[in-house]
Amino acid sequence: FAGRTALITGASRGIGKEIALKLAKDGANIVVAAKTIIPNPNLAGTIFSAAEEIEQVSVILSELQAGGKALPVLLDVRDEKNVQECVQKAAEKFGGIDILINNASAISLTGTEKTEMKRYDLMHSINTRGTFLMSKTCIPYLRKGKNPHILNISPPLLMEKQWFAPHVAYTMAKFGMSMCVLGMNEELRVDGIAVNALWPVTAIWTAAMEMLTEGKGKEGSRSPLIMADAAYAILSKDSTKYTGNFAIDEEILKAEGVKDFEKYAMVPNTPLVPDFFIPGGKYHSRWSTKK
């Protein structure tokens, strides 16, 4: 990834930041694009702190001629002008864009009656519309990129009622991101731009997960590192050949020869909680909105 540029939305913390660090260690330039610029005591991480971590990695690896650079950019994926300015700034800073990772997302695990319309609008404007807008804006640059990829952190399109009934608004918003993959991969195939989705088989311990579980979900979750390793594997593939896939983190890594998955467990030797939208999976009681 040396010399290539990755623009990652929601990269100030969690999965987005871990992917950023993974790619930066291999020499990628990272555009840390997110909304958080002021530290929040309840939600660690800003675009500046994430960029600083990436730069520290670069200093450590500089003797090996590795380690990329970081550009923190304030971004609200709902704002078209802001998106255009972010993408232009990234391209001007690093000479182009090779990778777009649509990671920014909003979540509310509420049933229909308990979902306020402002929350519905937020999820759809960030998850679905934001992914579409970011992709649309980056395509002209990706066409000129080296092994260009769009990677959406979104699930397989499983039309099963168990994934819709508990929180139909959230599911619709996440599936909107995956529908972008379904359509764009074929649309952009002629340009050699890969469009894929990546989703975890288990719960991933992030700041969002901590809030959802009120701090009780660490046991049974995996580290965001597994998603970073899986993203690295996907983005390493030939963009003209590997496109239109709804990848699962564990399956991708098994295909890469990884056998030890215990290293990703937040609490070793504990049963793992399955994430949503997994083929053959069941809706886990931890996600139930019923009290």
Side-chain angles (χ1 to χ4, degrees), residues 2 13 18 21-22 30 56 63 78 95 112 140 154 169 172 178 225 231 234 237 246-247 252 258 283:
R13 62 179 67 92
E18 287 299 335
L21 289 167
K22 179 74 175 182
I30 306 295
Q56 288 174 348
E63 293 183 2
R78 298 170 294 177
T112 300
S154 65
M172 289 167 64
S178 297
L225 278 171
I234 290 172
K237 297 181 184 297
F246 294 93
I252 283 288
V258 176
Y283 198 93

Side-chain angles (χ1 to χ4, degrees), residues 82-136:
N82 187 192
V83 167
Q84 292 169 345
E85 291 172 346
C86 170
V87 171
Q88 184 176 357
K89 185 179 294 186
E92 290 176 352
K93 173 69 174 179
F94 296 121
I97 298 172
D98 305 287
I99 297 165
L100 168 64
I101 300 177
N102 288 306
N103 169 69
S105 191
I107 182 172
S108 180
L109 302 182
T110 48
T112 300
E113 288 185 288
K114 293 185 178 181
T115 302
E116 298 177 356
M117 289 314 296
K118 66 178 182 179
R119 179 61 60 177
Y120 177 98
D121 291 340
L122 179 69
M123 288 191 287
H124 283 259
S125 60
I126 292 177
N127 300 3
T128 302
R129 185 179 183 276
T131 293
F132 183 91
L133 177 56
M134 287 300 304
S135 301
K136 166 186 168 67

Side-chain angles (χ1 to χ4, degrees), residues 266-286:
M266 294 301 298
V267 181
N269 303 312
T270 57
L272 294 169
V273 175
D275 206 339
F276 308 124
F277 316 122
I278 298 301
K282 299 297 181 183
Y283 198 93
H284 194 273
S285 59
R286 175 170 287 176

Side-chain angles (χ1 to χ4, degrees), residues 240-252:
T240 65
K241 297 179 180 178
Y242 189 86
T243 186
N245 298 281
F246 294 93
I248 302 298
D249 58 355
E250 189 172 296
E251 293 176 2
I252 283 288

Side-chain angles (χ1 to χ4, degrees), residues 225-237:
L225 278 171
I226 190 171
M227 288 290 282
D229 287 351
Y232 182 96
I234 290 172
L235 298 170
S236 298
K237 297 181 184 297

